[in-house]
């Protein structure tokens, strides 16, 4: 079935995936060997997270339950109940002690992870679709099929609310806690001040739903659409650049440094781009295969690319030389995600 989420263990050796078949799979990342399969939910497993202790797996699915598992043995430790419909997403507080969950039962529930003690329950105005904590862990935000709201966990008071014409599929908070960003089904990113929900930016970036939003170290917002396309939004200057080479739109890119950007150009490989001018400065690969997706290492020294022809390549950015070449079974008309671990020693390639 379709893979809905993927999460590494704290040591980076184990990869955990959840899927539409209700299973959660544990993988040995070094060898690529599947360690075990857990049939976590009878229908779909929507989300799987690894707790801060690196030993506890948390899953949610369409059976209205949240399960806690021993990551090493695969045995279920406990079940958190309370929702009456599908649990769409879960999130951990920054310190890992509090769990938040949103559901199709129009509720947001907050509880202690250690002993499952309920803390708060909030009514939503529609199906809960996504959830996120503020960086200080004091506020939780939830997206629904038509709005985003935030609550102070200590007082229980709603401190943020704004409506949206389309369903919200992703929500995140800026590192300084001053802005809430959310993406909707129409491909629009909304940016609102936490203290003034009516004030902010609304920008259409894609023609399809936005599945993921994340602030980078520069507090620029990185948005990823349903097909894997990426866009960087400079939130402080409310400036968004779509990079072009000639008359062709560059659809996917990732910052390597404040002065350098890696970008794919359909049918022409991967280019290095000046973020300010939008001009291509050099070509990292001269082949004509369509580089469908890319991901850079944390230090910007390595770049992984994946093509529609079943080829995965690892490039050294300073020299532009090819370091490693791998193959996978191609899937026609499907954008395949690729990711590098922070040390660039391991590459992950997704599948339908």
């Amino acid at each position: 079935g379709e893979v809905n989420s993927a999460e590494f263990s704290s040591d980076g050796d184990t990869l955990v995936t959840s899927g539409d078949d209700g299973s959660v799979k544990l993988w040995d990342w070094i060898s690529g060997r599947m360690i075990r399969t857990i049939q976590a939910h009878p229908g779909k497993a929507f989300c799987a997270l690894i707790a801060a202790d690196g030993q506890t797996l948390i899953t949610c699915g369409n059976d209205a339950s949240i399960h806690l598992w021993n990551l090493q043995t695969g045995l279920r430790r406990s079940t958190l109940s309370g929702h009456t419909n599908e649990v769409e997403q879960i999130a951990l507080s920054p310190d890992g002690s509090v769990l938040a969950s949103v559901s199709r039962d129009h509720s947001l529930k907050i509880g202690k992870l250690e002993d499952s003690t309920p803390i708060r329950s909030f009514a939503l105005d529609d199906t809960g679709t996504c959830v996120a904590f503020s960086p200080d862990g004091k506020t939780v935000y939830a997206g629904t099929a038509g709005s985003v709201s935030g609550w102070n966990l200590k007082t229980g008071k709603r401190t943020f609310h704004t409506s949206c014409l389309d369903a919200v599929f992703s929500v995140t908070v800026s590192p300084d806690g001053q802005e809430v960003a959310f993406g909707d089904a129409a491909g629009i990113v909304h940016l609102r001040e936490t203290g003034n929900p009516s004030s902010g930016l609304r920008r259409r970036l894609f023609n399809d739903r936005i599945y993921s939003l994340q602030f980078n170290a520069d507090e620029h917002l990185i948005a990823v659409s349903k097909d894997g396309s990426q866009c960087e939004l400079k939130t402080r200057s409310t400036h968004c650049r779509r990079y072009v080479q000639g008359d062709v739109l560059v659809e996917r890119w990732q910052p390597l440094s404040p002065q350098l950007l890696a970008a794919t150009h359909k049918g022409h490989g991967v280019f290095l781009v000046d973020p300010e001018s939008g001009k291509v400065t050099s070509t990292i690969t001269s082949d004509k295969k369509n580089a469908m997706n890319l991901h850079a290492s944390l230090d910007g020294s390595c770049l992984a690319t994946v093509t529609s022809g079943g080829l995965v390549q690892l490039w050294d950015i300073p020299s532009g030389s090819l370091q490693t070449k791998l193959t996978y079974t191609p899937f026609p008309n499907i954008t395949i995600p690729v990711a590098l671990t922070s040390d660039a020693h391991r590459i992950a390639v997704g599948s339908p």
Side-chain angles (χ1 to χ4, degrees), residues 24 40 51 68 128 141 146 191 202 249 277:
V24 171
L68 274 60
Y141 296 87
L191 195 66
R202 180 180 183 273
L249 178 68
S277 68

Side-chain angles (χ1 to χ4, degrees), residues 10-303:
S10 57
D11 59 12
D13 289 340
T14 305
L15 180 69
V16 183
T17 61
S18 64
D20 270 359
D21 59 359
S23 70
V24 171
K25 299 181 186 297
L26 306 179
W27 305 84
D28 183 303
W29 184 242
I30 297 176
S31 66
R33 177 179 60 89
M34 186 173 68
I35 302 171
R36 66 175 58 88
T37 297
I38 302 172
Q39 196 59 39
H41 299 271
K44 297 180 179 181
F46 291 129
C47 188
L49 298 176
I50 299 177
D53 62 7
Q55 301 297 317
T56 304
L57 175 69
I58 313 164
T59 68
C60 68
N62 68 341
D63 58 351
S65 296
I66 299 171
H67 299 310
L68 274 60
W69 309 81
N70 184 305
L71 193 63
Q72 301 303 316
T73 65
L75 298 178
R76 187 167 64 188
R77 288 178 173 173
S78 60
T79 296
L80 309 182
S81 58
H83 286 295
T84 58
N85 207 328
E86 297 180 356
V87 181
E88 294 288 319
Q89 196 175 86
I90 51 180
L92 285 168
S93 61
D95 65 2
S97 65
V98 178
L99 181 71
S101 57
V102 289
S103 167
R104 285 183 174 270
D105 65 7
H106 296 198
S107 73
L108 162 64
K109 296 188 181 298
I110 314 294
K112 292 183 179 180
L113 184 62
E114 183 178 11
D115 57 11
S116 305
T117 302
I119 297 176
R120 298 274 184 188
S121 181
F122 302 104
L124 304 177
D125 54 16
D126 211 319
T127 294
T129 53
C130 52
V131 61
F133 283 90
S134 61
D136 60 10
K138 296 180 179 180
T139 307
V140 64
Y141 296 87
T144 74
S147 69
V148 175
S149 297
W151 289 267
N152 181 292
L153 292 180
K154 183 177 181 179
T155 65
K157 180 181 178 181
R158 190 171 75 173
T159 58
F160 181 95
H161 180 77
T162 185
S163 298
C164 186
L165 294 177
D166 295 280
V168 176
F169 284 96
S170 54
V171 62
T172 188
V173 186
S174 62
D176 61 7
Q178 298 301 306
E179 295 173 310
V180 177
F182 54 97
D184 66 25
I188 299 173
V189 165
H190 305 256
L191 195 66
R192 298 286 185 268
E193 296 177 9
T194 53
N196 184 12
S198 62
S199 175
L201 173 71
R202 180 180 183 273
R203 186 70 58 83
R204 180 182 294 277
L205 302 183
F206 309 104
N207 293 319
D208 207 336
R209 67 181 59 176
I210 296 175
Y211 270 142
S212 177
L213 285 173
Q214 182 178 351
F215 283 92
N216 65 13
D218 297 322
E219 297 194 17
H220 295 176
L221 188 63
I222 307 299
V224 180
S225 75
K226 183 179 179 181
D227 69 353
S229 298
Q230 300 179 30
C231 186
E232 179 184 4
L233 185 65
K234 297 184 179 181
T235 57
R236 299 307 183 187
S237 61
T238 65
H239 171 67
C240 178
R241 184 183 299 280
R242 286 183 177 272
Y243 299 91
V244 297
Q245 165 70 3
D247 296 325
V248 182
L249 178 68
V250 171
E251 295 179 337
R252 298 174 183 88
W253 57 84
Q254 183 174 0
L256 302 175
S257 71
Q259 295 80 35
L260 194 62
L261 188 90
T264 64
H265 181 313
K266 187 175 181 181
H268 294 81
V270 179
F271 296 90
L272 300 183
V273 179
D274 181 327
E276 293 305 317
S277 68
K279 294 181 179 180
V280 174
T281 60
S282 60
T283 302
I284 195 172
T285 171
S286 59
D287 65 49
K288 302 301 181 182
K289 293 181 179 179
N290 179 17
M292 298 191 302
N293 227 326
L294 72 169
H295 189 266
S297 61
L298 191 61
D299 62 3
S301 65
C302 297
L303 181 72

